Amino acid sequence: MSLPRSSAIPRSALTTMAASRRSVLRGLALSGLAVGSANALAACGGDSGGPATGEGATVKFGINEASGSGPAYDRLKAIADAYAEESGTEVALNAVDHNTFQESINTYLQGTPDDVFTWFAGFRMAQFAENGLITDLSDQWPIDGLNDSFKQAATAPDGKQYFVPISYYPWAVFYRKSVFEKNGWAPPETNDDLMALMDDMQGKGVTPFAFGDKDGWPAMGTFDILNMRLNGFDFHMSLMAGEEAWDGDEVKLVFDTWRQLLPYHQADPLGRTWQEAATAMGKGECGMYLLGTFVVDALGENGEDLDFFTFPQLDSSIPADSLDAPIDGFCVAAAGQNQDAGKAMAKWLGSAAAADAGNNAADAPFIAANSGASTSTYSDLQKKSAEVVGAAANIAQFMDRDTNADFANTVMIPSIQEFLKNPDDIDGVTASIQEQAASIFG
């Protein structure tokens, strides 16, 4: 069956790309693009010396999933194999674990990158475009099945397209249906409902929220949703663009609300990965988990026993109609050796055939961006995800995609982790963030 696609995304894109050119340029000036550290993602293989495209050509494909790491790798590997079979092009796969890929991307793009690589829509894509690190793909658009919203998600402030979307997913509060049914719990519709649910879980010996932030980025999702619920979507995006104070009352309210919720979360989150937290929820040790739909990948199942709800309203004047829903896809590296092969593959990666090849190869399918892709393998979770994203009034991409890369990695990750270690020092944490934000954003 096919899901309605007219609203299947992503006004997300529109908003994310509303990051002003001024903000992007500010970020570029301070984006830490120095070359010198180990080129952890360096492209595999050398120049083939063969034809540029088609039969006999070689394209290097860098992906942000390590070999054998799970469904996400399985999907990307299947997509690479399908393209090789269909085009006759040899695809040299360079599989790198997710965190290494994220942390090394700037160095990678300035060294000897693969021709095509996995990346994300949002501010950081725009940064790469502005700095000339990724290739203009405007001549590959339009792409059949990708609507105008996705095209805008692929567009940098200069009006050109640098990205090809393949999938998207919401961040929400996940839970096991069987655990809720066993305990007589229901998804909360209000904040009072949520508080009562968490108290009941604790009374039954179940930790309400699974929580792991060993990798640094998962807790950003909690900040994002609390900020959107307490201060509104526009303030959140303005804050991400460096145009609001991090030591103001609005941000302090976010951290104070978070502080009050921490006793309902797993203790010691800095020693736990998101996969370990997901496993705790899967075992019923924790009742819920705020994460993206990729939570399924850690459970080794297709998600039939999983359901989710969006975080409830916290301020009666701010509708609970905003959420994070990142768009994943591909870029062509400007320093890639085979630009023609890279651009040809990038366009194909946006096709329904590419999405189908990926979803047919993994137990846990993604939600395809292409309107022509099959939804026959979608679980109820995927169908609901598409509906929720389509119905949202405002969609953000996620903190580390919506703001300056250096700010996200070198300021927000350690600052949030410091807050999690010492949640009572909100004034100290926010003052430190503001001081560093002023240095980065100007």
Side-chain angles (χ1 to χ4, degrees):
M1 64 174 286
S2 295
L3 294 170
R5 295 291 183 162
S6 58
S7 60
I9 208 181
R11 270 181 272 191
S12 40
L14 307 177
T15 304
T16 297
M17 301 319 298
S20 69
R21 180 182 179 82
R22 181 167 57 93
S23 297
V24 171
L25 291 174
R26 264 196 251 134
L28 283 171
L30 297 146
S31 61
L33 295 173
V35 180
S37 60
N39 200 350
L41 309 186
C44 54
D47 186 352
S48 69
T53 61
E55 191 76 36
T58 297
V59 62
K60 299 171 185 174
F61 185 30
I63 65 173
N64 57 348
E65 298 292 341
S67 178
S69 59
Y73 170 80
D74 295 340
R75 290 190 293 265
L76 288 166
K77 175 67 165 58
I79 288 169
D81 290 344
Y83 181 68
E85 181 175 352
E86 180 169 317
S87 68
T89 301
E90 179 183 349
V91 179
L93 194 65
N94 184 20
V96 179
D97 80 85
H98 192 84
N99 287 340
T100 300
F101 194 97
Q102 296 282 91
E103 293 165 2
S104 306
I105 187 68
N106 286 338
T107 303
Y108 166 71
L109 290 176
Q110 294 179 98
T112 54
D114 301 293
D115 301 307
V116 184
F117 65 98
T118 48
W119 197 239
F120 322 113
F123 191 94
R124 294 182 68 181
M125 180 274 290
Q127 283 187 297
F128 292 152
E130 288 281 348
N131 207 44
L133 295 175
I134 53 178
T135 297
D136 176 7
L137 299 176
S138 300
D139 58 353
Q140 305 301 307
W141 285 84
I143 297 174
D144 287 346
L146 294 181
N147 64 27
D148 288 344
S149 292
F150 282 115
K151 184 176 181 181
Q152 291 194 38
T155 304
D158 65 0
K160 299 176 181 177
Q161 290 75 52
Y162 292 86
F163 177 76
V164 175
I166 190 167
S167 64
Y168 62 96
Y169 57 91
W171 275 64
V173 181
F174 291 84
Y175 62 92
R176 275 208 180 283
K177 291 184 286 188
S178 59
V179 172
F180 267 47
E181 290 168 3
K182 176 183 176 183
N183 289 282
W185 295 329
E189 296 182 358
T190 67
N191 186 42
D192 287 344
D193 291 344
L194 177 62
M195 298 304 294
L197 175 62
M198 293 191 296
D199 286 338
D200 195 60
M201 287 180 172
Q202 284 190 327
K204 293 178 177 176
V206 176
T207 302
F209 276 99
F211 195 28
D213 197 44
K214 188 174 183 178
D215 297 321
W217 55 266
M220 290 176 170
T222 302
F223 181 92
D224 283 358
I225 197 63
L226 292 179
N227 195 32
M228 285 189 273
R229 291 292 182 270
L230 293 166
N231 297 312
F233 179 77
D234 290 343
F235 177 87
H236 177 68
M237 296 308 297
S238 183
L239 183 69
M240 293 299 108
E243 296 171 352
E244 304 286 350
W246 280 86
D247 59 353
D249 290 343
E250 295 88 348
V251 176
K252 289 181 180 178
L253 176 62
V254 172
F255 280 110
D256 188 55
T257 303
W258 198 351
R259 180 182 62 81
Q260 296 175 53
L261 291 172
L262 282 176
Y264 296 102
H265 288 66
Q266 280 183 295
D268 303 321
L270 304 189
R272 188 179 301 110
T273 66
W274 70 264
Q275 293 95 335
E276 291 168 337
T279 299
M281 189 266 291
K283 292 179 177 177
E285 298 169 359
C286 300
M288 303 174 284
Y289 193 14
L290 174 63
L291 203 73
T293 53
F294 55 85
V295 66
V296 176
D297 292 356
L299 299 178
E301 55 186 68
N302 63 9
E304 288 183 355
D305 191 36
L306 286 184
D307 202 347
F308 69 87
F309 58 87
T310 55
F311 206 90
Q313 187 177 37
L314 297 180
D315 183 318
S316 60
S317 67
I318 300 173
D321 58 2
S322 302
L323 72 160
D324 278 329
I327 303 172
D328 290 345
F330 308 93
C331 294
V332 172
Q337 293 180 354
N338 193 339
Q339 291 292 298
D340 289 341
K343 292 171 76 170
M345 182 178 183
K347 181 168 186 174
W348 183 86
L349 289 169
S351 69
D356 290 348
N359 276 342
N360 290 335
D363 291 336
F366 54 48
I367 305 170
N370 194 294
S371 62
S374 171
T375 61
S376 62
T377 61
Y378 282 14
S379 66
D380 289 343
L381 202 68
Q382 267 83 33
K383 294 171 185 173
K384 182 174 178 177
S385 296
E387 292 168 0
V388 166
V389 173
N394 303 291
I395 298 176
Q397 289 293 304
F398 198 72
M399 180 186 289
D400 67 1
R401 305 182 185 198
D402 283 331
T403 192
N404 174 280
D406 272 1
F407 181 68
N409 293 333
T410 66
V411 179
M412 288 311 299
I413 286 178
S415 295
I416 289 175
Q417 292 190 327
E418 179 59 30
F419 163 73
L420 295 174
K421 289 187 288 188
N422 185 15
D424 291 329
D425 187 22
I426 293 173
D427 286 345
V429 168
T430 54
S432 174
I433 297 173
Q434 175 58 28
E435 181 179 358
Q436 296 175 83
S439 173
I440 290 177
F441 290 105

